Amino acid sequence: MPDRIRIASSAREELIDITDEVQGVVAAAGIHTGVLHLWSLHTTCALTVNEGFDPDVASDAVAFMRRLVPRDAGFRHAEGNSDAHLKVAFFGPGLTLLVEEGRPLLGRWQRVFLCEWDGPRRRDIAWRLTPS
């Protein structure tokens, strides 16, 4: 599927490092300098940038969000995934990244994460890269 990054999650809630996939689409586009927009095509899946060196950061984020917005909080939404919708509201469905020297501009410890809140599922992230 053009202009999409497809990711398969393996758990109901997890942060998945998709930095390599993001770098791959930038490299394939052949644009040296620009702006990359990423957008989750789902209402229960978010995107974020955070530390990727220590995997405990991602697991801490998931554990904290479980406590902050528990699945069994008495929501009325019939699908039983209101907690996932609310968790996306905290993180947001989109990211904008700068591209320099043909790569997303990230700090030393930064990585791009897909935040799965209602998996396991196949997820599509749309992207657009605008040269500058």
Side-chain angles (χ1 to χ4, degrees):
M1 186 181 307
D3 298 341
R4 301 287 189 273
I5 299 171
R6 179 159 276 177
I7 303 294
S9 62
S10 60
R12 181 168 194 276
E13 298 176 325
E14 62 181 321
L15 267 62
I16 302 169
D17 185 341
I18 63 167
T19 308
D20 292 343
E21 289 84 351
V22 171
Q23 289 175 342
V25 299
V26 171
I31 293 176
H32 188 72
T33 304
V35 178
L36 175 65
H37 302 281
L38 301 169
W39 190 259
S40 170
L41 299 176
H42 309 278
T43 60
T44 58
C45 174
L47 297 169
T48 195
V49 172
N50 212 315
E51 180 187 324
F53 179 74
D54 182 351
D56 286 337
V57 174
S59 61
D60 286 345
V62 170
F64 178 78
M65 292 306 291
R66 283 181 185 150
R67 290 190 307 275
L68 185 64
V69 186
R71 186 175 187 181
D72 60 353
F75 299 114
R76 296 185 306 171
H77 181 46
E79 287 184 48
N81 63 355
S82 282
D83 65 309
H85 293 291
L86 292 171
K87 290 168 185 166
V88 169
F90 281 96
F91 286 86
L95 288 176
T96 299
L97 301 172
L98 299 177
V99 173
E100 284 188 2
E101 299 178 5
R103 297 177 58 84
L105 181 61
L106 296 168
R108 180 176 182 170
W109 307 113
Q110 290 180 317
R111 304 289 287 181
V112 180
F113 290 92
L114 180 146
C115 308
E116 175 63 78
W117 301 120
D118 192 29
R121 295 178 186 237
R122 292 188 63 74
R123 299 301 197 166
D124 289 316
I125 305 302
W127 63 272
R128 296 293 182 275
L129 182 52
T130 305
S132 59

